[in-house]
Amino acid sequence: MPKSNKASRAGGADRISALPDAILQHVLSFLQAREAVRSCVLARRWRFLWKSIPVLRLTGRSPAREFREFMDYLLVLRDRSPLDACLLNFSKVLGNMHCVNLWIRYALLCQVRVLSVAFGGLFPFDIGHLPLVSRNLTNLELVNVHLNEKFLCFSSCPSLEELKMTKCPILVEEIFSCSLKRLSIEKCWFYEGRVLISVPSLTSLQLTDACGTTPFLEDMPALVKATVRFTSACSETRAESKMTANEACGDTSCECCNRAIAGVPNDCYDASCECCYGHDDSKEGCVFLKGLSAATDLKLIAETELIILKRDLRRCPTFSKLKTLSLNEWCVSGDHSALICILQHTPVLENLSLQLSKVPDYIKPVKATYNLLEHSFASENLKIVEVTCQEVDERVHNIMKSLSTCGIPLEKINIRQTNKSSGCTLTS
């Protein structure tokens, strides 16, 4: 290689260091905080850049003492420049974790906009009883965190727009926010009875695989999309409600309780029966469905028989904006009256999807009085009804008959069979 080229490379300028501070700090923000601090040894130009990086990524993988010492120095030496994000992720217990609350408060003092606190392990982290106060916080994510009333009171967080909670025990009576637009609650436990969720500005809701009592949803007039999925972990299944009710009923003439005491596996299948289905606290109105009634896109899945849905259908609200609806087999038990009731209250529906798995054990005839209207369902906007099933069986044929009776032309019904090995076919 010519000497001139060698000389030019050896004496070339450090072009990266010549970049503005904001760009270099943006690059450092993609590193873990410990790695970003280590950049101070690269050159004099890099000595203090880490002190003002806009994102702190803190992962507790080191021994407890070593990590806490690092955090002590970081919080003392770092500038109080505003934070775009602070991401705390701890994969194992770090001994005395009360210091985490101090790190959260530090991030709030630095006007953090995005805050994520995630814990691994079997036991949730107790985040303490201090209220969350921030005029700058817009996004909050919590994973495996023990939540109390004060922390979930967002009256002092006027800019909060997105809240995600995963695997969190929720010990509150109310979740309230005037500014919240996106709410995700996944695999959380509701321990304080029926929690009131009051989020009038919400546009997107995801409530999946929650444990405990179904929350009470207040009106959400701005709601656009909602995804709700219930599993057997919900305490308001028919089996759970019956067990609780039979323990509480003291009427010796109650036939339902007497059958249960005698060990006879026979229920009256009447959704209004408190002895078989538990106490009805929804007599003043809908507990759950009314809060979803403003949505334009709704996915409502129940993997077990959920009593609260059947009771809400007795006062079924009108889904005046709903255009896309996805349901599963919970609504086609018995004479399909639950499905018919929903269709009668969706006047502008365009797309309906029914997902049918194998016939579950909980599908039994239920004598429930739904808010059925005299007129049949005949939405002029309906484009397609898609029924997804493993096999085209008698249940599918009966559903088609019910849909046809409601005024839906067969040419708008599409059957999608997932079990291709079956010889059964159906042509609409």
Side-chain angles (χ1 to χ4, degrees):
M1 180 180 292
K3 290 184 178 181
S4 59
N5 290 342
K6 288 183 179 180
S8 62
R9 291 193 175 188
D14 183 356
R15 295 184 179 180
I16 294 180
S17 296
L19 293 172
D21 286 1
I23 295 179
L24 295 179
Q25 289 165 348
H26 178 72
V27 173
L28 290 176
S29 68
F30 290 95
L31 302 176
Q32 290 292 325
R34 188 186 296 270
E35 297 171 346
V37 171
R38 288 172 179 167
S39 68
C40 68
V41 302
L42 294 177
R44 183 175 298 178
R45 171 78 173 85
W46 294 76
R47 183 175 298 178
F48 303 112
L49 287 175
W50 67 270
K51 291 188 175 184
S52 302
I53 56 176
V55 178
L56 284 182
R57 300 178 186 271
L58 305 167
T59 301
R61 295 177 179 173
S62 305
R65 181 178 179 181
E66 180 184 350
F67 188 82
R68 286 203 302 269
E69 288 179 352
F70 166 75
M71 286 300 301
D72 289 342
Y73 282 110
L74 177 69
L75 269 58
V76 170
L77 298 176
R78 185 187 177 276
D79 296 340
R80 288 289 182 91
S81 55
L83 280 172
D84 289 338
C86 180
L87 312 177
L88 306 174
N89 192 328
F90 303 96
S91 58
K92 63 179 181 180
V93 177
L94 300 177
N96 183 3
M97 296 298 294
H98 292 295
C99 54
V100 176
N101 286 314
L102 297 178
W103 303 341
I104 293 174
R105 302 301 157 182
Y106 171 83
L108 295 175
L109 288 174
C110 292
Q111 303 175 10
V112 66
R113 295 190 301 108
V114 178
L115 177 62
S116 175
V117 182
F119 285 85
L122 298 176
F123 302 101
F125 168 68
D126 189 348
I127 207 163
H129 295 276
L130 292 175
L132 196 63
V133 179
S134 174
R135 301 190 63 84
N136 305 96
L137 188 66
T138 60
N139 297 65
L140 177 62
E141 182 176 11
L142 304 166
V143 179
N144 201 24
V145 175
H146 196 281
L147 301 173
N148 56 64
E149 194 81 42
K150 290 185 178 180
F151 196 85
L152 286 184
C153 178
F154 300 115
S155 58
S156 298
C157 299
S159 300
L160 187 65
E161 294 186 353
E162 182 170 357
L163 172 62
K164 293 182 179 180
M165 296 182 288
T166 306
K167 298 181 180 179
C168 294
I170 301 176
L171 282 82
V172 303
E173 295 181 357
E174 180 181 8
I175 299 175
F176 171 78
S177 173
C178 286
S179 60
L180 200 64
K181 295 182 179 179
R182 297 174 295 278
L183 174 61
S184 174
I185 303 176
E186 182 178 1
K187 297 180 180 178
C188 292
W189 296 266
F190 290 102
Y191 282 124
E192 294 296 320
R194 200 175 298 287
V195 176
L196 173 65
I197 297 181
S198 179
V199 280
S201 300
L202 203 71
T203 61
S204 175
L205 172 66
Q206 180 176 340
L207 177 60
T208 55
D209 307 340
C211 303
T213 307
T214 310
F216 185 100
L217 300 182
E218 284 199 339
D219 290 349
M220 296 179 281
L223 187 65
V224 176
K225 185 174 182 179
T227 299
V228 181
R229 183 174 67 241
F230 295 102
T231 65
S232 57
C234 176
S235 64
E236 293 184 285
T237 63
R238 182 174 60 83
E240 291 290 337
S241 298
K242 180 190 71 171
M243 178 186 67
T244 304
N246 281 323
E247 291 175 353
C249 182
D251 185 359
T252 56
S253 64
C254 177
E255 295 183 3
C256 296
C257 288
N258 289 335
R259 283 197 300 268
I261 293 172
V264 179
N266 228 355
D267 301 316
C268 66
Y269 303 119
D270 184 353
S272 64
C273 177
E274 294 192 359
C275 292
C276 286
Y277 291 91
H279 174 63
D280 184 1
D281 64 350
S282 61
K283 293 179 179 178
E284 299 302 323
C286 284
V287 168
F288 196 76
L289 291 180
K290 192 173 187 299
L292 303 174
S293 61
T296 60
D297 187 336
L298 175 61
K299 185 174 184 179
L300 188 55
I301 303 298
E303 297 178 4
T304 185
E305 185 180 15
L306 199 65
I307 303 309
I308 196 63
L309 292 180
K310 294 183 178 297
R311 285 181 170 161
D312 269 10
L313 286 176
R314 298 207 299 257
R315 316 165 180 84
C316 187
T318 298
F319 295 80
S320 58
K321 303 176 184 177
L322 190 62
K323 295 184 178 181
T324 301
L325 176 63
S326 297
L327 303 168
N328 69 331
E329 55 265 357
W330 72 266
C331 68
V332 292
S333 61
D335 59 357
H336 307 157
S337 57
L339 174 61
I340 295 172
C341 178
I342 294 173
L343 293 178
Q344 288 182 341
H345 291 80
T346 51
V348 296
L349 188 66
E350 295 180 358
N351 300 286
L352 172 64
S353 174
L354 292 176
Q355 302 174 17
L356 307 179
S357 61
K358 290 184 178 180
V359 181
D361 295 334
Y362 70 82
I363 296 295
K364 297 180 183 294
V366 177
K367 295 182 292 184
T369 304
Y370 298 138
N371 184 18
L372 295 176
L373 305 177
E374 294 183 0
H375 63 80
S376 62
F377 169 80
S379 173
E380 297 179 354
N381 301 301
L382 187 67
K383 297 177 181 178
I384 187 171
V385 176
E386 184 171 278
V387 181
T388 302
C389 58
Q390 293 186 7
E391 296 182 357
V392 179
D393 52 16
E394 182 180 358
R395 179 173 52 150
V396 177
H397 284 276
N398 290 335
I399 291 173
M400 291 192 65
K401 290 179 181 177
S402 294
L403 294 175
S404 178
T405 303
C406 290
I408 299 176
L410 290 178
E411 56 267 21
K412 290 187 177 181
I413 304 175
N414 180 37
I415 307 297
R416 189 167 67 89
Q417 183 178 332
T418 58
N419 185 4
K420 301 299 182 182
S421 61
S422 175
C424 299
T425 59
L426 182 63
T427 303
S428 298

